[in-house]
């Protein structure tokens, strides 16, 4: 089965719609959201509705820190992120807010684990920024492959049976086979707000039979997404950063 993973959508309708179109064209059969459906962007209602529909069709979703912040006012965020969350909270219906609040922190799926931040303490929202961070997450689970997001930068980590770590930045659209002799952690990057210097939306596909993972980048209508942010009175930097991928 070909799985498609989307993380850190951040209410960017233009980016998410473009990624869904490409994933479906590639033959994706199941869709998994790795959290942060909302926050920053101007289309939270559409984004939540789209994930809800995918879950109803057999997809899976986990809770991100921005999703959590809609229900938990104590979530610690910078001023721009907090302003976007307060605006988002007023836009979502009770059913949409309940959906976000009830999302699980982690979901096991066969030999895989899905989580927004990392597996050792998912509610602390720690970033996987190094091989040490990745090792901490992998040691905390028996899953052979963990898929996560949160940091908005695509990276692939692995750990050998002797705990030797590797990490690298994957080349877009180049399949990588995840060998069974190692444990893997795939950071999916961000659909709606990439921060690796490439403004194109990022998502991942994984073929469960061949164990091939492919990191995909998708150009989208950044100008419209940015204009939507400005038109709704959200902090201007949230619009400006889309064009530079930072």
């Amino acid at each position: 089965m070909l799985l498609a993973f989307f993380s850190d959508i951040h209410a960017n309708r233009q980016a998410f719609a473009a990624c869904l179109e490409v994933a479906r064209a590639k033959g994706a059969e199941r869709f998994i959201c790795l959290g942060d459906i909302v926050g920053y962007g101007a289309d939270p209602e559409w984004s939540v509705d789209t994930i809800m529909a995918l879950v109803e069709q057999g997809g899976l979703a986990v809770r991100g820190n921005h999703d959590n912040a809609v229900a938990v006012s104590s979530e610690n965020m910078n001023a721009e992120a907090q302003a976007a969350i307060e605006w988002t909270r007023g836009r979502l219906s009770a059913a949409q807010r309940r959906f976000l609040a009830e999302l699980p922190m982690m979901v096991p799926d066969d030999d895989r684990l899905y989580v927004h931040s990392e597996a050792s303490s998912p509610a602390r929202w720690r970033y996987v920024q190094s091989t040490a961070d990745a090792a901490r997450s992998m040691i905390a689970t028996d899953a052979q492959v963990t898929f996560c997001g949160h940091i908005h930068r695509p990276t692939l980590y692995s750990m050998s049976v002797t705990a030797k770590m590797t990490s690298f930045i994957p080349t877009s659209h180049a399949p990588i086979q995840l060998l069974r002799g190692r444990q893997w952690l795939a950071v999916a990057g961000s659909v709606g707000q990439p921060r690796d210097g490439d403004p194109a939306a990022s998502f991942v596909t994984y073929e469960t039979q061949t164990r091939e993972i492919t990191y995909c980048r998708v150009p989208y209508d950044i100008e419209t997404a940015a204009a939507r942010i400005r038109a709704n009175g959200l902090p201007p930097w949230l619009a400006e950063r889309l064009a530079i991928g930072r």
Side-chain angles (χ1 to χ4, degrees):
M1 177 180 287
L2 186 65
L3 308 177
F5 294 87
F6 307 97
S7 190
D8 299 276
I9 296 161
H10 285 302
N12 187 332
R13 178 173 183 165
Q14 288 70 33
F16 190 25
C19 288
L20 282 171
E21 182 178 358
V22 171
R24 286 174 171 137
K26 289 178 176 291
E29 300 164 80
R30 196 179 196 194
F31 300 86
I32 295 102
C33 175
L34 298 172
D36 277 2
I37 304 166
V38 300
Y40 300 135
D43 286 287
E45 309 99 302
W46 181 89
S47 300
V48 175
D49 281 346
T50 300
I51 293 296
M52 290 173 71
L54 291 173
V55 169
E56 287 177 2
Q57 296 160 15
L60 296 169
V62 297
R63 191 189 326 170
N65 56 306
H66 287 255
D67 307 322
N68 196 60
V70 170
V72 180
S73 59
S74 61
E75 193 70 61
N76 186 29
M77 292 188 161
N78 64 47
E80 290 169 328
Q82 188 61 46
I85 284 298
E86 290 172 3
W87 176 85
T88 297
R89 195 178 291 126
R91 295 291 294 259
L92 297 178
S93 68
Q96 291 169 325
R97 293 195 302 271
R98 184 168 58 253
F99 174 78
L100 295 179
E102 292 176 354
L103 286 172
M105 299 298 293
M106 296 192 293
V107 173
D109 185 23
D110 195 25
D111 64 347
R112 303 175 296 277
L113 180 73
Y114 312 143
V115 62
H116 180 63
S117 56
E118 53 86 41
S120 72
S121 185
R124 291 181 64 181
W125 311 118
R126 294 191 287 201
Y127 292 101
V128 176
Q129 302 182 82
S130 65
T131 53
D133 296 336
R136 180 183 62 219
S137 179
M138 284 189 270
I139 290 167
T141 175
D142 292 330
Q144 190 160 34
V145 187
T146 298
F147 292 86
C148 70
H150 194 38
I151 197 166
H152 295 219
R153 297 197 296 268
T155 315
L156 184 62
Y157 297 91
S158 76
M159 183 168 63
S160 72
V161 292
T162 58
K164 182 178 180 180
M165 295 293 299
T166 66
S167 73
F168 64 97
I169 307 301
T171 300
S172 300
H173 310 291
I176 303 162
Q177 188 170 36
L178 304 188
L179 302 177
R180 292 187 181 275
R182 305 183 72 87
Q183 221 179 338
W184 298 85
L185 188 148
V187 185
S190 173
V191 170
Q193 196 184 92
R195 294 179 186 166
D196 61 345
D198 182 350
S202 176
F203 78 97
V204 166
T205 62
Y206 180 71
E207 173 52 62
T208 59
Q209 185 171 5
T210 63
R211 299 174 56 84
E212 284 188 343
I213 187 172
T214 305
Y215 284 76
C216 307
R217 298 308 284 255
V218 182
Y220 71 95
D221 187 353
I222 291 173
E223 290 185 5
T224 295
R228 292 275 300 141
I229 290 171
R230 295 188 187 100
N232 281 280
L234 291 164
W237 171 238
L238 300 181
E240 294 161 8
R241 71 189 310 173
L242 296 180
I244 57 175
R246 290 293 183 191

